[in-house]
Amino acid sequence: MAAQFPSTRSSSSHLQTTSKTFTLNTGAKIPALGLGTWQSGPNEVEKAVEVALRKGYRHIDTAFAYGNEAEVGRGIKNSGVPREEIWLTTKLDNPWHKRVTEGIDSSLKSLGVDYVDLYLMHWPSSTDPEDLKKHYPDWNFVKTWEEMQKIPKSKARNLGVSNFGIKNLEILLNDPTCKTVPAANQIELHPNNPSPKLIAYNTSKGIHSTGYSCLGSTNSPLYKDETLLAIAKSKDKTPQQILLAWGHQKGWSVIPKSVNKERVEKNFELDGWELTEEEVKKLDGLKGRFKVCGDAWLPVKVFFGDDE
C-alpha cells in the first residue's frame, strides 16, 4: 500500500503547512515538512525520530552515509506510527555506485523496512571504495542512474538525485539511458543559498526540489541577520520557523535537522500563519552568500556555479 497523506487544501494550503504535500512527477505526494538527520550524533537520532513522528511529522530523511539508518529505523518502530503513513527517504552512498542493488538492500535491512518512498543518488560522484580520494575511471553517475532505474518499485517507490546542479542534470537527462526523470533533487536551500536558477530548472523538468540545511546549519550567520530576526520578532515566531515558512512558500519541501525535543516540536508548529509577500521578498533579498556543504571533499567537482 502506498503512503497516504492529507490532500493540500486549495483555499488555505498556506495555513495547513504540516499536512501540505507536493505531488511528484510519479503522482506520489511528498510531505512538505520532514525531519532531517544529517550531522545528528549517535544515540540521538532514534529519539528525535520518535519525537518527530509522535508530534505529527510524516517525512523522515536519512542516508547510508549518515551512519544512522538503524537508529532511524528504531525510532520509526518506537513511534508506533504505521509504516504506510510515513514517507521515508534514504540515499545511495558514493562508493556504492557500482553496487546499487547491494546499496538499497543494505539500507532496507538497516532501516528494518521493506521499502523506502524515495531513494536518492546522494552525490553525482562515483567514488572508488578502495580510495575515497579517487573517482572510478570507468564509471559515472549516468551509469549509476541506469542501475538505479532497475530497482523494483517494491523496494523504492520513487527515485531521485541529490546535489545535482544544472550541468549534471543536463548530462543525465540528455543521455539515452535515462528513461526515468528524477522525481526529486535534494539540494541546499536557504536565503543565503537560494539557487533560483536551479530551482527554475528543476521545475521546468518536472523535478521536485527538497531543501536541506534549510536552517543554514549549526551556528549559521543567518541567525545574526537583522532582517530575519525582525520578521521573527514581529510574528512572535522563531527564526527557524520563519525560514521553514519561507521555503514552503517558495514551493519546495524542507527537512530541518534537530535532535532537541523542543526544537523538533517547535519546527513543526507552522499551521495557521504565513509570511506576507513583502516578508518573503525581504528574505529573498538577504545579502551574503554561503554554502554549508561544498564539494572540496569529493574526488570530482560537482558544483559549477549553475546551482546558484
Side-chain angles (χ1 to χ4, degrees):
M1 178 181 176
Q4 299 293 318
F5 304 98
S7 299
T8 300
R9 300 183 187 179
S10 58
S11 60
S12 59
S13 60
H14 57 283
L15 299 180
Q16 298 295 326
T17 301
T18 58
S19 61
K20 183 176 180 178
T21 60
F22 292 101
T23 303
L24 304 182
N25 58 24
T26 60
K29 297 181 183 298
I30 185 171
L33 177 65
L35 179 74
T37 61
W38 178 43
Q39 294 183 325
S40 295
N43 305 314
E44 296 179 321
V45 180
E46 181 178 336
K47 191 62 180 178
V49 169
E50 180 183 351
V51 167
L53 291 172
R54 288 180 182 274
K55 178 68 175 178
Y57 286 76
R58 288 298 179 265
H59 179 184
I60 304 295
D61 179 271
T62 184
F64 179 94
Y66 302 167
N68 60 22
E69 287 176 319
E71 274 198 60
V72 167
R74 290 196 297 270
I76 290 173
K77 185 176 181 180
N78 294 343
S79 74
V81 176
R83 168 68 186 95
E84 61 269 19
E85 293 182 13
I86 302 167
W87 181 282
L88 182 57
T89 298
T90 195
K91 310 174 188 77
L92 177 73
D93 200 15
N94 306 345
W96 291 69
H97 277 207
K98 283 190 177 183
R99 299 173 290 158
V100 170
T101 299
E102 293 176 56
I104 182 67
D105 288 346
S106 173
S107 288
L108 294 177
K109 182 178 180 180
S110 295
L111 288 162
V113 297
D114 296 326
Y115 70 94
V116 291
D117 297 275
L118 181 59
Y119 194 51
L120 304 177
M121 189 190 317
H122 205 157
W123 291 88
S125 174
S126 303
T127 304
D128 185 342
E130 300 299 320
D131 186 345
L132 300 183
K133 295 181 179 179
K134 293 183 179 180
H135 191 275
Y136 277 124
D138 61 342
W139 198 268
N140 59 25
F141 61 80
V142 174
K143 292 184 178 181
T144 307
W145 187 248
E146 186 175 2
E147 292 303 306
M148 287 182 67
Q149 291 175 118
K150 299 175 185 176
I151 298 174
K153 289 190 179 296
S154 59
K155 293 184 178 182
R157 301 280 172 86
N158 303 274
L159 301 174
V161 296
S162 181
N163 297 299
F164 269 62
I166 295 173
K167 178 179 178 180
N168 281 336
L169 282 172
E170 288 186 330
I171 291 172
L172 179 63
L173 296 175
N174 290 326
D175 193 277
T177 64
C178 181
K179 307 299 183 183
T180 301
V181 175
N185 185 13
Q186 188 178 122
I187 53 179
E188 181 177 337
L189 287 172
H190 49 77
N192 285 148
N193 192 67
S195 305
K197 292 179 182 178
L198 178 52
I199 291 291
Y201 184 88
N202 286 343
T203 302
S204 74
K205 300 300 181 181
I207 301 172
H208 173 70
S209 300
T210 294
Y212 74 77
S213 292
C214 47
L215 303 179
S217 201
T218 308
N219 300 319
S220 169
L222 273 168
Y223 299 118
K224 297 178 182 178
D225 187 278
E226 294 181 1
T227 300
L228 172 61
L229 296 177
I231 293 173
K233 184 177 181 180
S234 70
K235 301 186 86 69
D236 193 27
K237 303 296 178 185
T238 66
Q240 290 86 349
Q241 288 173 318
I242 298 300
L243 291 172
L244 296 176
W246 175 79
H248 285 142
Q249 290 179 227
K250 296 289 286 185
W252 53 76
S253 51
V254 292
I255 45 172
K257 168 259 172 181
S258 182
V259 294
N260 178 283
K261 182 177 185 294
E262 290 183 1
R263 285 198 289 269
V264 168
E265 293 179 341
K266 201 72 174 176
N267 288 343
F268 190 76
E269 295 169 5
L270 302 174
D271 288 346
W273 62 277
E274 64 175 345
L275 300 175
T276 64
E277 288 187 19
E278 182 181 359
E279 289 167 338
V280 171
K281 288 180 180 178
K282 284 183 178 180
L283 293 170
D284 288 346
L286 292 191
K287 298 187 183 301
R289 291 289 180 266
F290 70 86
K291 284 181 74 70
V292 174
C293 197
D295 60 7
W297 62 281
L298 292 167
V300 293
K301 189 174 180 62
V302 301
F303 298 134
F304 306 96
D306 62 355
D307 58 322
E308 296 174 354

